[in-house]
Amino acid sequence: MLRWAIFIILYTLVDIYAFQALKTLTKNPWIYGIYVFVSLAILAALIYQISTMGAGKVLDIKTMYVFGIFLVVFVPKLIVIIFMFAEDIGRFFTGIFMKIAGSTEVPFMASRRKFVSTIALGIAAIPFASLIYGMVQGKYNYKVLKYALEFDDLPEEFDGFTLTQISDIHSGSFDNHHKVEYAVNLINEQKSDVILFTGDLVNNVADEMNDWKELFSTLKAPEGVFSVLGNHDYGDYVNWKSATEKNENLQKLKAIQKDMGWDLLLNENKYLERNGKKIALVGVENWGENGFKQAGDLDKACVGISEKDFKILMSHDPSHWQAKVKEDPRNFQLTLSGHTHGMQFGIEIPGWFKWSPIKYRYKNWAGIYEEFGRYINVNRGFGFLGYPGRVGIWPEISVIQLKKRQNNV
């Protein structure tokens, strides 16, 4: 109750402050009434939706949309009050200076206040429109990102080998079968040698895949479809009635992947062979920092493979690469991760610039990174969670071609 009280107070203060900008531009009481009604309706909907999520506390698509609409309205208000507060601070210090100087003028000009309010509302319209677009179109704005990586120790037989990586499907968030079907077909159209899924098939429970199992079973590749578990796949964010019920959910999720024809790697490895040569595909369970599950076991996953083998590691959380993998003497040449979603929000100009607030939590958060001659690709995610949309950081299908580096003498 205390947290709700604090939230409501802060929400009200932001609302009142932002309302001042509106008052400088219009005196229409109908507009005032609409503003108040929308603010109260969104607050009430958010409180109701969260308080009625049930004992399981499962974040469903309806709750996500309520949260998304809240962001659409609240974020622009924060932008407005930044401008209004800056103007008030400027006016405050100007008033002090004028008083010291002995001036009797009032340090407030209605025209200046109106100008600042207009600028603030104009700039606030950008996140308002962007967040709406992200919910309507951005979340299904799939992009195929292609990379070619060169390695000295890649067997000649695998020169040109291609893999398609997807991650963070979060099937419990989907609400448009046609759009998801388009994306699944797009994956198959890449005609890669192997398809690799790096975790978070669901938001919370295995049943979320009931409507999507048949569709994702159509993913096919010559070398197969392989997968690992992400932090959401374990059901850790559900208030289960018992440990047995939670375990049954996990077993059901594993069975679903098997039924779809996916080969789930649970701290284990598989060899891919060509003309007598092979590369190792290593899959670990989730291993994360900052309170995330650490079930991944590299030692167990590497049983039976040689340090000299070329290795592709599938590990859901990229913090695993920073903490344990990139300097491991067994030399994992390529690691594939997901998890961050690129925060589903940011600014990206391919090949030139990329930024998202998530970069301040994860050093490796989107795309290809290289250290010590070893690479990691952090997939931006196929689905979405929390905010039911994407702005600037689009859902991704990664296609990576492995190349044998040619040593020119």
Side-chain angles (χ1 to χ4, degrees):
M1 290 298 295
L2 178 61
R3 285 183 295 180
W4 274 119
I6 294 173
F7 172 76
I8 291 172
I9 291 172
L10 291 176
Y11 180 90
T12 303
L13 290 175
V14 169
D15 239 3
I16 292 173
Y17 210 160
F19 184 62
Q20 305 309 308
L22 185 65
K23 288 177 64 177
T24 63
L25 299 180
T26 180
K27 302 300 181 183
N28 190 320
W30 284 100
I31 295 179
Y32 294 172
I34 293 172
Y35 178 95
V36 173
F37 174 78
V38 170
S39 295
L40 291 176
I42 290 175
L43 179 62
L46 185 66
I47 294 173
Y48 173 79
Q49 195 62 41
I50 293 178
S51 62
T52 58
M53 285 171 63
K57 299 300 181 183
V58 174
L59 186 65
D60 59 17
I61 187 63
K62 184 166 63 175
T63 304
M64 282 189 270
Y65 268 109
V66 170
F67 178 64
I69 293 171
F70 167 77
L71 289 179
V72 165
V73 175
F74 191 70
V75 171
K77 290 178 181 178
L78 291 177
I79 301 295
V80 168
I81 67 172
I82 288 174
F83 280 85
M84 302 301 291
F85 184 70
E87 200 271 340
D88 284 344
I89 292 296
R91 183 153 50 91
F92 173 75
F93 283 107
T94 299
I96 291 177
F97 175 80
M98 292 175 66
K99 188 171 184 179
I100 294 175
S103 173
T104 58
E105 294 184 23
V106 178
F108 175 78
M109 294 183 290
S111 60
R112 186 180 71 181
R113 186 70 164 183
K114 184 175 182 179
F115 173 76
V116 172
S117 298
T118 302
I119 294 297
L121 291 170
I123 293 177
I126 298 175
F128 177 80
S130 297
L131 287 166
I132 291 177
Y133 174 83
M135 293 170 62
V136 176
Q137 295 290 339
K139 61 186 176 184
Y140 295 125
N141 186 22
Y142 297 100
K143 301 296 182 183
V144 177
L145 302 184
K146 297 186 176 183
Y147 307 96
L149 301 179
E150 293 187 340
F151 301 90
D152 291 320
D153 50 354
L154 180 71
E156 290 278 1
E157 289 74 10
F158 285 88
D159 185 32
F161 184 89
T162 58
L163 61 90
T164 289
Q165 179 199 1
I166 56 174
S167 191
D168 299 271
I169 288 175
H170 289 290
S171 57
S173 300
F174 293 145
D175 57 2
N176 190 318
H177 194 279
H178 176 72
K179 294 289 188 180
V180 178
E181 183 179 14
Y182 162 78
V184 169
N185 291 336
L186 190 60
I187 295 169
N188 281 328
E189 287 171 10
Q190 304 312 308
K191 299 186 182 302
S192 290
D193 294 296
V194 68
I195 296 174
L196 306 176
F197 171 66
T198 47
D200 277 2
L201 184 62
V202 298
N203 296 343
N204 294 288
V205 298
D207 285 345
E208 294 170 20
M209 279 299 294
N210 289 347
D211 294 333
W212 306 100
K213 176 181 173 181
E214 183 178 354
L215 176 59
F216 281 95
S217 67
T218 64
L219 289 175
K220 303 295 180 185
E223 298 291 345
V225 180
F226 295 86
S227 61
V228 294
L229 297 176
N231 56 296
H232 281 269
D233 295 323
Y234 296 91
D236 287 345
Y237 310 121
V238 179
N239 292 332
W240 300 99
K241 294 178 181 178
S242 67
T244 299
E245 186 181 30
K246 179 180 178 182
N247 182 62
E248 287 175 350
N249 176 76
L250 179 57
Q251 298 311 313
K252 185 175 183 179
L253 186 73
K254 293 177 181 179
I256 286 172
Q257 298 197 41
K258 182 178 180 180
D259 291 343
M260 291 193 303
W262 295 13
D263 194 341
L264 178 63
L265 300 180
L266 301 167
N267 293 324
E268 54 190 324
N269 63 79
K270 291 288 180 69
Y271 276 116
L272 305 179
E273 294 193 23
R274 279 189 172 183
N275 300 324
K277 299 296 183 180
K278 57 188 180 180
I279 62 176
L281 184 60
V282 183
V284 296
E285 295 195 48
N286 191 81
W287 194 102
E289 295 185 317
N290 302 310
F292 288 107
K293 181 183 289 290
Q294 295 187 346
D297 188 332
L298 272 178
D299 293 333
K300 183 179 178 181
C302 289
V303 170
I305 64 177
S306 166
E307 291 185 7
K308 295 181 180 179
D309 287 330
F310 186 93
K311 305 173 194 68
I312 300 174
L313 173 66
M314 301 167 65
S315 181
H316 177 70
D317 192 320
S319 62
H320 191 202
W321 190 71
Q322 275 295 330
K324 299 289 184 180
V325 176
K326 69 178 184 180
E327 296 185 71
D328 192 291
R330 284 167 292 201
N331 188 18
F332 296 91
Q333 287 89 342
L334 174 62
T335 298
L336 304 176
S337 298
H339 183 60
T340 71
H341 300 204
M343 204 174 171
Q344 298 168 209
F345 174 84
I347 302 171
E348 188 164 12
I349 304 174
W352 290 90
F353 177 80
K354 64 180 179 182
W355 176 87
S356 169
I358 199 70
K359 71 173 291 184
Y360 303 112
R361 181 167 184 179
Y362 290 95
K363 183 176 181 180
N364 312 112
W365 59 275
I368 298 287
Y369 301 84
E370 183 268 332
E371 290 188 48
F372 308 109
R374 303 169 187 184
Y375 293 90
I376 182 174
N377 180 56
V378 183
N379 184 281
R380 293 160 179 80
F382 185 91
F384 51 91
L385 183 68
Y387 165 62
R390 285 177 175 265
V391 178
I393 305 295
W394 312 119
E396 175 183 351
I397 299 166
S398 305
V399 179
I400 301 175
Q401 183 181 53
L402 308 182
K403 299 290 292 182
K404 175 73 173 180
R405 182 175 286 114
Q406 302 299 319
N407 295 318
N408 298 318
V409 179

